[in-house]
Amino acid sequence: QENTVSLVKLDNTSGKRKRSIECLDLTGHGFPAAHFHLAYTPIPAENRLLVRLPGGAVAAVDPMEDAPAWTYEPDPTDRFRIDEGAIFRGVRRAAPLRDPSLTQPLVAKDAILLSHPIHERIVCLNVDDGRVRWATKQSLLYFAGIEGDAVIAVTKNSIVSLKLVDGSEIWEAELDPSQLPSGRGLIHKGHLYLPTSDGKLNKFDPRTGELVKSVALGRALGNPVRDRDNIIYYDGARVSSYPIAEAVAKQVAAKLKENPDDAWALARQGELLLADGDPEGALVWLRRALAREKSGDTQRTIVNVTFQLLRSDARRHVELGETALSLAQRPMERIELLRLTAVGYAGKEQPHLALACCLKLVDELQQQPDLGEPIWIEPQPGHRVRIDRWLPAYMQRLKRQIADNADPAE
């Protein structure tokens, strides 16, 4: 019916309409015409079906009686505009990400929680009769979920835990300005997983707000869904699946007990150590895995771990660069490995070996004439320079060092 939001009941075998339940008459509400045609999936809550409506309103239907139970409408001067969604930063898209599900009402036991980031308010209603239990001012992006008797919510710059009974704050954890949410968080198996705009996946304890672990993934993730022991992320361009570390650790332990040389288990053990911040230990397991079974994924992981170690201390890990060269499959990987290895040998006061690496680097660059744009490197944090300008100056310095150390009798 025109200007009316209704919930239609269909026969699940024939698809025929059985009944139409009017939820809200929009006449006189002043909503844009497009809002009349918005459709949302009804949300089951105990003995009610909850229907989101334009302007932040919510209607509850009694499915046993096929009749409206109650309707909640916010103050006309302070509408939530739930249907507009929210904007997240960090996800690479041609246009800002707008997702109506970000402001999806959250059903918590016998209550329903409503919010919208623009109007900075959370309202808690009774599911049974729609009465307001409490309301609090909060600059909310979305509800992450329920943990015990608390609701976990993510704001623009923090994570906050509120008591379900009265909305009072239990704890608040500030977020780094460089790590703003890039998608919805998710509570899964006792932990809150939050993707951030700097390409990390942060794991929090929802009981205390403590950051348990932060894993760098190289790109900002989108919105997650749960799938047994995996978390699947969709950012509008691709779908990514990440296994829960605890579940992988159990599988790895079982497989290694059965077969200590299982290549899959050896590689996963290396990845687990890498996620725990132990790249040197990870490299040992990854090499064992590659020795048992050739794998392009394992090779790439070894090269990436080698980069990490060389960039942290090229002098200490210089031998790793030589070893990883045979595994590097991309020209840019070989170029960077040779550069870092040269820097490592120079740091060990072995300029002859450093110069030898530089000469190999010259050959590698000459063999790759189609790399296109100039290659930029970062010899020092925050300092970028073209490699075709850095390399001759670096080689000249090494030659002077060799000449200064030469035996006059030679």
Side-chain angles (χ1 to χ4, degrees):
Q1 186 177 346
E2 188 176 357
N3 293 356
T4 298
V5 178
S6 300
L7 183 65
V8 178
K9 183 177 182 179
L10 305 175
D11 186 288
N12 62 355
T13 57
S14 65
K16 292 182 178 179
R17 180 189 294 236
K18 298 182 70 175
R19 187 167 181 184
S20 179
I21 306 167
E22 181 178 317
C23 297
L24 180 66
D25 185 350
L26 300 178
T27 304
H29 279 69
F31 296 119
H35 286 203
F36 297 164
H37 306 290
L38 290 169
Y40 300 105
T41 303
I43 305 168
E46 292 200 344
N47 59 342
R48 297 284 185 263
L49 278 178
L50 304 174
V51 183
R52 295 171 61 194
L53 304 171
V58 175
V61 171
D62 186 333
M64 301 301 294
E65 300 293 335
D66 287 344
W70 52 262
T71 300
Y72 166 79
E73 295 185 65
D75 186 327
T77 62
D78 185 27
R79 294 197 178 279
F80 287 105
R81 292 187 289 169
I82 286 182
D83 47 276
E84 290 190 1
I87 299 174
F88 279 140
R89 304 176 186 177
V91 179
R92 296 182 180 177
R93 292 170 60 89
L97 176 64
R98 291 183 178 270
D99 182 353
S101 68
L102 295 174
T103 48
Q104 179 85 346
L106 176 66
V107 175
K109 298 182 179 179
D110 57 350
I112 176 173
L113 294 127
L114 310 174
S115 75
H116 193 278
I118 293 178
H119 296 284
E120 300 185 346
R121 190 172 65 158
I122 299 175
V123 176
C124 181
L125 309 176
N126 287 332
V127 167
D128 189 55
D129 56 19
R131 287 188 298 177
V132 176
R133 284 191 184 181
W134 50 264
T136 184
K137 187 174 179 63
Q138 192 68 250
S139 178
L140 189 73
L141 285 178
Y142 55 83
F143 297 113
I146 302 297
E147 177 65 24
D149 293 323
V151 56
I152 309 299
V154 178
T155 75
K156 295 176 182 178
N157 49 29
S158 67
I159 305 171
V160 63
S161 175
L162 304 174
K163 290 182 180 179
L164 281 173
V165 64
D166 58 11
S168 60
E169 184 178 297
I170 301 173
W171 55 258
E172 182 177 15
E174 296 290 332
L175 295 175
D176 190 305
S178 66
Q179 298 183 358
L180 297 176
S182 63
R184 282 181 295 159
L186 173 71
I187 293 180
H188 183 53
K189 299 203 172 195
H191 291 97
L192 168 63
Y193 295 87
L194 181 66
T196 56
S197 55
D198 62 345
K200 292 181 180 178
L201 180 60
N202 291 334
K203 178 179 176 181
F204 293 90
D205 184 338
R207 297 166 297 181
T208 63
E210 178 186 359
L211 178 62
V212 177
K213 185 182 294 186
S214 181
V215 180
L217 300 174
R219 65 185 181 89
L221 301 177
N223 297 331
V225 294
R226 288 170 288 193
D227 176 35
R228 295 183 182 178
D229 292 323
N230 298 284
I231 297 180
I232 299 172
Y233 281 90
Y234 173 64
D235 63 7
R238 71 184 86 179
V239 178
S240 307
S241 178
Y242 296 92
I244 302 297
E246 291 80 1
V248 175
K250 291 181 181 178
Q251 295 177 41
V252 168
K255 283 184 172 291
L256 290 177
K257 184 177 181 180
E258 181 180 340
N259 177 13
D261 293 327
D262 186 290
W264 180 91
L266 292 170
R268 298 296 84 74
Q269 181 62 34
E271 292 170 357
L272 288 170
L273 289 173
L274 186 60
D276 282 335
D278 183 8
E280 293 183 63
L283 207 53
V284 174
W285 289 86
L286 291 166
R287 285 173 172 168
R288 284 183 59 191
L290 190 63
R292 301 301 184 278
E293 181 180 298
K294 299 298 180 183
S295 165
D297 288 341
T298 303
Q299 284 186 214
R300 283 189 291 273
T301 304
I302 290 174
V303 171
N304 290 334
V305 175
T306 303
F307 278 136
Q308 180 180 339
L309 291 170
L310 285 172
R311 286 166 181 156
S312 66
D313 190 341
R315 180 178 179 276
R316 178 185 173 193
H317 301 292
V318 63
E319 288 80 8
L320 298 179
E322 298 274 13
T323 306
L325 270 172
S326 61
L327 303 178
Q329 300 173 343
R330 300 180 178 90
M332 288 302 299
E333 291 177 342
R334 292 192 293 272
I335 289 170
E336 182 66 357
L337 281 172
L338 284 167
R339 185 188 74 82
L340 290 170
T341 304
V343 171
Y345 279 128
K348 294 185 72 172
E349 299 183 358
Q350 295 178 306
H352 290 85
L353 294 177
L355 186 59
C357 287
C358 287
L359 292 172
K360 291 179 183 178
L361 181 52
V362 170
D363 292 340
E364 185 69 36
L365 289 168
Q366 291 176 345
Q367 293 172 19
Q368 307 296 335
D370 301 325
L371 288 176
E373 296 293 326
I375 300 172
W376 292 85
I377 60 173
E378 194 169 319
Q380 298 174 352
H383 176 65
R384 297 177 73 241
V385 64
R386 286 172 49 165
I387 196 169
D388 58 338
R389 294 175 180 173
W390 172 87
L391 184 56
Y394 196 74
M395 291 178 66
Q396 190 63 35
R397 191 176 79 180
L398 291 172
K399 289 176 181 178
R400 286 198 301 268
Q401 186 178 353
I402 292 171
D404 291 343
N405 295 334
D407 187 342
E410 290 183 358

